[in-house]
Amino acid sequence: MWLLNATTEKQRTGLAEYFNPTLVRTPGASGDGVEAGMRSAVVQDLPDSEKAAEFDDISRRIQNQLSGTGAESMQMTNLLRHVVTRMTDEGLVIELSDLTEQPLFMDDTAQPQPALEELARIIARVLGQVRNQIAIAGHVRAYPEMLVTSPVWALSDARAHAVRNLLERGRLDPQRIQRVTGYADRKNRSANPMDPVNNRIELILLR
């Protein structure tokens, strides 16, 4: 059984508190809370160059929180092994990937494992401090061609929507989700299309 299953409610609270946002306090932001500051961080009237710099700064801070640097427990370290972040022209990509011994979904279904449920709560908390819209993309490994009906399209779509549901349960504003897409096995990470490493969900914080 994966380590998170053995954690107590207090330990799970500790995981969330590790990510309790200290991301940005924008100078001049109204309100006393960090959330108020973060929600003022994306200012529509800024010039494009300043908007880009602001987005890059926020993204770096989010990446730092999701890197696991300074994690205080083995549970946290194990959990964040599923997370890889990178910057693209579209925005900040937060990739949630299967590990060989720790899949994010149960077998070949869209039923989340406890690890994914915990990750979604943490990411919803972190992304809840900015205003940018979010895109969700589901990717799955290929299946043998001998199958009468390949599950890749339905499965990638169902998994993307499962993560959307988890984020919304974590109190992420549903109006911020711009699109949910299933890419089947069309954008593999591995040269072997059936490699489990191809199973992943991408959350994109859009510019």
Side-chain angles (χ1 to χ4, degrees), residues 98-174:
D98 276 356
L99 301 177
T100 302
E101 73 283 9
Q102 297 172 2
L104 292 177
F105 293 92
M106 296 182 183
D107 299 322
D108 296 325
T109 74
Q111 178 64 39
Q113 293 277 11
L116 180 56
E117 294 177 352
E118 193 69 41
L119 276 172
R121 280 193 288 269
I122 290 170
I123 291 171
R125 179 185 293 264
V126 172
L127 295 183
Q129 308 313 306
V130 295
R131 298 174 55 188
N132 306 62
Q133 290 191 313
I134 296 164
I136 303 173
H139 302 267
V140 297
R141 67 178 180 85
Y143 285 73
E145 294 182 359
M146 65 187 68
L147 293 179
V148 175
T149 302
S150 173
V152 292
W153 286 108
L155 185 57
S156 63
D157 181 70
R159 287 183 172 183
H161 279 284
V163 171
R164 175 186 59 79
N165 287 330
L166 290 175
L167 292 174
E168 291 178 8
R169 280 166 48 188
R171 299 186 179 181
L172 184 75
D173 181 1

Side-chain angles (χ1 to χ4, degrees), residues 10-206:
K10 182 176 180 181
Q11 288 172 320
R12 286 193 292 272
T13 300
L15 293 180
E17 287 177 350
Y18 175 78
F19 288 98
N20 197 28
T22 55
L23 294 179
V24 174
R25 279 189 178 273
T26 303
S30 60
D32 295 330
V34 175
E35 182 171 348
M38 283 297 293
R39 290 190 182 280
S40 299
V42 180
V43 181
Q44 298 302 318
D45 295 334
L46 287 175
D48 288 345
S49 60
E50 292 187 33
K51 287 181 184 179
E54 188 75 36
F55 181 85
D56 289 347
D57 181 60
I58 291 170
S59 296
R60 280 193 297 270
R61 293 170 186 266
I62 290 174
Q63 286 177 299
N64 289 340
Q65 285 218 351
L66 297 176
S67 70
T69 303
E72 298 177 353
S73 67
M74 184 62 70
Q75 290 94 337
M76 181 71 72
T77 300
N78 280 338
L79 190 62
L80 294 178
R81 290 172 60 212
H82 291 277
V83 180
V84 176
T85 61
R86 65 181 186 277
M87 292 291 291
T88 69
D89 290 341
E90 190 173 21
L92 173 64
V93 178
I94 302 170
E95 186 176 288
L96 310 180
S97 302
D98 276 356
L99 301 177
T100 302
E101 73 283 9
Q102 297 172 2
L104 292 177
F105 293 92
M106 296 182 183
D107 299 322
D108 296 325
T109 74
Q111 178 64 39
Q113 293 277 11
L116 180 56
E117 294 177 352
E118 193 69 41
L119 276 172
R121 280 193 288 269
I122 290 170
I123 291 171
R125 179 185 293 264
V126 172
L127 295 183
Q129 308 313 306
V130 295
R131 298 174 55 188
N132 306 62
Q133 290 191 313
I134 296 164
I136 303 173
H139 302 267
V140 297
R141 67 178 180 85
Y143 285 73
E145 294 182 359
M146 65 187 68
L147 293 179
V148 175
T149 302
S150 173
V152 292
W153 286 108
L155 185 57
S156 63
D157 181 70
R159 287 183 172 183
H161 279 284
V163 171
R164 175 186 59 79
N165 287 330
L166 290 175
L167 292 174
E168 291 178 8
R169 280 166 48 188
R171 299 186 179 181
L172 184 75
D173 181 1
Q175 297 301 315
R176 291 180 54 203
I177 298 178
Q178 185 187 87
R179 66 178 186 268
V180 180
T181 310
Y183 284 97
D185 57 352
R186 298 305 192 261
K187 294 187 176 183
N188 292 325
R189 287 176 52 189
S190 170
N192 175 6
M194 288 191 286
D195 191 332
V197 75
N198 295 319
N199 292 324
R200 65 198 190 280
I201 298 291
E202 292 180 350
L203 307 175
I204 308 169
L205 184 69
L206 300 169

